[in-house]
Amino acid sequence: DVQLVESGGGLVQPGGSLRLSCTASGDSISAYQMAWFRRRLENGREGVAYLDSDGGTDYTYSVAGRFTISKDNAKNTLYLQMNNLRVEDTAVYHCAADRLRFNLGSGYRFWGQGTQVTVS
């Protein structure tokens, strides 16, 4: 099993940038499918960005071109670079991992506790 801990959230002005990190322990993420989700007050959980074990990526429409998902296998860490942030990006962001492919669906087995991103 893998344990996930997010960091890097905070308060940023519209148009600003943040980089979220998701540090894994207990297993190597190199063979896992990884994703970032967010939960906003007015919506349910939403898949934001997906990275498969072969390096393929997918993004939800609202963040494509602004967010970039990546990972460093040596550091066992997943990242989400968020640029040109908007007020509507305000949410709690969670990373998720599974050996099965769920893309932006929410069937992942392993989840982090989340980190708050506030754009205001």
Side-chain angles (χ1 to χ4, degrees), residues 11 19 31-32 54 60-63 66 72-74 76 78 80 83-84 88-89 102-103 105-106 111 117-120:
L11 174 64
R19 188 177 79 158
Y32 282 79
D54 298 322
T60 193
Y61 177 80
S62 62
V63 310
R66 300 189 296 123
D72 185 332
N73 287 332
N76 221 27
L78 177 74
L80 184 67
N83 298 328
N84 192 20
E88 55 265 36
D89 294 319
F102 293 100
N103 199 309
S106 59
W111 293 83
V117 172
T118 302
V119 186
S120 177

Side-chain angles (χ1 to χ4, degrees), residues 18 25 28 42 64 117:
L18 281 176
S25 60
S28 170
E42 67 276 16
V117 172

